[in-house]
Amino acid sequence: NLDYLVDLGINGLYFCPIFKASSNHKYDTIDYFDIDPDFGDKETFKKLVDEAHSRGIKVMLDAVFNHMGYYSEQFQNVEKNGEQSIYKDWFHINSFPVEIGKNGNFEGAQTLSFDTFAFTPMMPKLNTANKEVQDYLLDIATYWIKEFNIDAWRLDVANEVDHHFWKKFYEATTALDEDFYILGEIWHSSQSWLQGDEFHAVMNYAFTETVANFFVKDAILPTKMASGLYEQLMLYRDQTNQVMFNCLDSHDTPRLLHQAGENKDIAKMALAFTFMQHGSPCIYYGTEVGMTGAGDPDCRRCMVWEEEKQDKEFYSFVKQLVALRKENQAILSLGDLNFTELNNESKIVSFNRQLENGKVSGFFNKGIENQIIKGELEVLLSNNVEKTENGYVIAKNGFIIYK
């Protein structure tokens, strides 16, 4: 299906964990050096990376280095051998035994005898201050770059791993590829990790949540949205803002269309606005064909490949949006963001992205009244807009992007 992605205009592919694990979500890693048989094998993955690269698509894998799986060789050794285990210092163990069902070790309990992710004994937390653990994880990080030529790592629950380790991680990976991209999963402001020696970017939830609060949830007014976006942009250097990872939904959130009450015009507005901002916009698989779903696990439905079940009109819209982003990449990546109108009563947002040699403008109408823009425009993309003798009429939940 790589040619499907090429047709859509995709140039990067981010995989959730693909390493051997016991669950369906694969965040409880058993073996970081092997592909889970549910997905294939190393030969298949190598071919995928090569084929993706031949089409101009980069590949990012998910590194779960905060914790590993209960059924990993290391933790099973601790379960079997207790305090005599050679791996006991790889984890944060408070008392023995660590076996599930004993010593307070029950799913969701706060009586666990060892530290975990999210109070689940299935995911014991790693001690990344341990030199052996550091060496082990850095071997994993560099192995997949050396052997399979991956382009990026996404770092799961990155804020729960110590800074000293991430600095070593940065040095080890960028030494192999100076263009390697390191993305941390952090849900809040992240200055500490974005000083140039740990991550290049984070999953920019603080930024995109502000977008969703206005366009999708009607929870804030235009001026509040603008101030929220400016606040996030002011936290980081320009070169960091330019490569932030902007996703309106993911495997950890309800899908965009579900958040929008199944209103595709609202979903289109949110996507279009996000694609016009600083950072790298990300499309969660299936959004482009109208997939919906509530929170986990509903948001993790299988991709709809059956064409008769796909929303072709929505696909065409997203394809045009991706093309718009690419054709105006310099302005939308590097240009200044200037809001020209923020009307809290009529819920109008007007802004431009501008460089010395070019400008792209957007007008978004979240209000109930039609709005009119006069004059001749070079329209790049629009929705719920009609051109009349009086100008361009933008209806409710409509927008127009133009030069």
Side-chain angles (χ1 to χ4, degrees):
N1 293 303
L2 285 175
D3 290 336
Y4 166 90
L5 299 178
V6 171
D7 181 71
L8 187 58
I10 302 303
N11 57 14
L13 193 53
Y14 152 42
F15 289 98
C16 288
I18 61 172
F19 305 130
K20 189 174 181 180
S22 60
S23 67
N24 66 332
H25 56 70
K26 309 302 179 188
Y27 281 94
D28 53 342
T29 314
I30 292 175
D31 186 350
Y32 293 92
F33 289 99
D34 201 8
I35 302 291
D36 193 284
D38 287 347
F39 303 136
D41 53 29
K42 289 181 179 178
E43 183 180 356
T44 305
F45 180 66
K46 183 68 168 70
K47 182 179 179 182
L48 171 62
V49 174
D50 291 344
E51 292 286 345
H53 285 169
S54 73
R55 292 165 171 81
I57 299 174
K58 295 186 180 295
V59 175
M60 178 164 66
L61 293 186
D62 205 331
V64 188
F65 289 172
N66 173 68
H67 52 271
M68 61 174 17
Y70 181 86
Y71 293 110
S72 63
E73 173 190 351
Q74 293 85 347
F75 200 77
Q76 284 297 292
N77 187 286
V78 176
E79 182 191 271
K80 178 181 178 181
N81 299 307
E83 291 193 64
Q84 277 65 54
S85 172
I86 60 173
Y87 295 113
K88 68 181 177 65
D89 293 329
W90 279 43
F91 306 92
H92 298 272
I93 298 172
N94 303 311
S95 65
F96 295 91
V98 298
E99 184 178 351
I100 290 179
K102 298 181 179 179
N103 199 19
N105 297 318
F106 301 95
E107 188 67 41
Q110 297 190 27
T111 56
L112 298 173
S113 66
F114 54 95
D115 293 351
T116 69
F117 171 73
F119 297 106
T120 172
M122 297 305 296
M123 291 186 265
K125 181 175 174 61
L126 284 163
N127 177 14
T128 52
N130 183 314
K131 179 68 164 54
E132 291 181 5
V133 175
Q134 292 176 1
D135 291 344
Y136 174 71
L137 296 178
L138 294 178
D139 283 346
I140 296 163
T142 54
Y143 172 78
W144 292 94
I145 302 173
K146 293 174 183 175
E147 300 299 325
F148 297 89
N149 198 24
I150 66 168
D151 305 284
W153 279 112
R154 180 264 191 185
L155 309 174
D156 189 57
V157 279
N159 57 302
E160 296 185 20
V161 177
D162 62 278
H163 289 281
H164 296 290
F165 174 73
W166 289 137
K167 293 180 194 297
K168 293 181 179 181
F169 180 92
Y170 177 91
E171 290 179 357
T173 53
T174 57
L176 297 175
D177 179 359
E178 65 180 6
D179 290 324
F180 198 80
Y181 180 63
I182 303 172
L183 173 69
E185 184 210 11
I186 299 177
W187 290 64
H188 48 73
S189 300
S190 309
Q191 299 100 313
S192 303
W193 293 269
L194 296 171
Q195 297 299 318
D197 58 354
E198 294 186 44
F199 310 157
H200 297 105
V202 295
M203 298 184 76
N204 208 8
Y205 287 115
F207 188 89
T208 51
E209 184 181 18
T210 301
V211 175
N213 280 341
F214 174 67
F215 284 103
V216 180
K217 300 175 184 177
D218 289 317
I220 58 176
L221 295 171
T223 53
K224 178 70 172 178
M225 180 192 70
S227 67
L229 298 184
Y230 278 143
E231 179 183 0
Q232 287 300 312
L233 291 171
M234 289 294 290
L235 292 175
Y236 311 114
R237 298 168 177 84
D238 284 347
Q239 58 265 46
T240 300
N241 286 323
Q242 291 161 11
V243 296
M244 286 293 235
F245 194 81
N246 295 340
C247 50
L248 288 166
D249 53 359
S250 73
H251 60 288
D252 286 325
T253 72
R255 283 185 170 272
L256 174 60
L257 201 54
H258 178 85
Q259 295 180 53
E262 311 301 327
N263 187 319
K264 291 179 180 177
D265 287 336
I266 292 176
K268 287 178 180 179
M269 287 187 84
L271 283 166
F273 185 87
T274 301
F275 267 67
M276 286 195 68
Q277 304 309 309
H278 295 86
S280 302
C282 174
I283 303 167
Y284 188 36
Y285 74 91
T287 293
E288 74 279 4
V289 292
M291 281 184 64
T292 188
D296 175 21
D298 195 38
C299 58
R300 303 181 182 186
R301 302 178 191 182
C302 293
M303 172 64 185
V304 176
W305 289 115
E306 300 86 354
E307 291 195 20
E308 67 275 11
K309 297 180 181 178
Q310 295 178 344
D311 185 330
K312 293 298 187 181
E313 190 277 330
F314 206 87
Y315 178 91
S316 176
F317 168 81
V318 175
K319 182 176 178 178
Q320 293 177 70
L321 188 56
V322 173
L324 183 156
R325 174 78 189 198
K326 286 184 170 182
E327 290 163 5
N328 299 278
Q329 186 271 329
I331 295 174
L332 297 179
S333 291
L334 309 176
D336 293 333
L337 169 63
N338 301 302
F339 286 97
T340 53
E341 184 175 4
L342 295 165
N343 192 313
N344 289 342
E345 291 186 9
S346 56
K347 293 189 177 180
I348 293 170
V349 174
S350 178
F351 65 95
N352 59 56
R353 298 294 312 283
Q354 188 164 5
L355 283 176
E356 289 183 2
N357 59 349
K359 180 172 72 172
V360 177
S361 300
F363 186 102
F364 290 73
N365 181 16
K366 272 292 290 179
I368 59 175
E369 301 291 336
N370 290 349
Q371 303 295 327
I372 297 178
I373 298 180
K374 296 185 177 181
E376 282 298 321
L377 308 175
E378 180 187 345
V379 179
L380 304 179
L381 187 65
S382 66
N383 188 52
N384 287 348
V385 174
E386 180 184 1
K387 185 179 181 182
T388 71
E389 59 182 15
N390 295 321
Y392 295 87
V393 179
I394 300 98
K396 178 183 179 181
N397 293 330
F399 69 87
I400 184 168
I401 299 172
Y402 61 93
K403 286 186 174 180

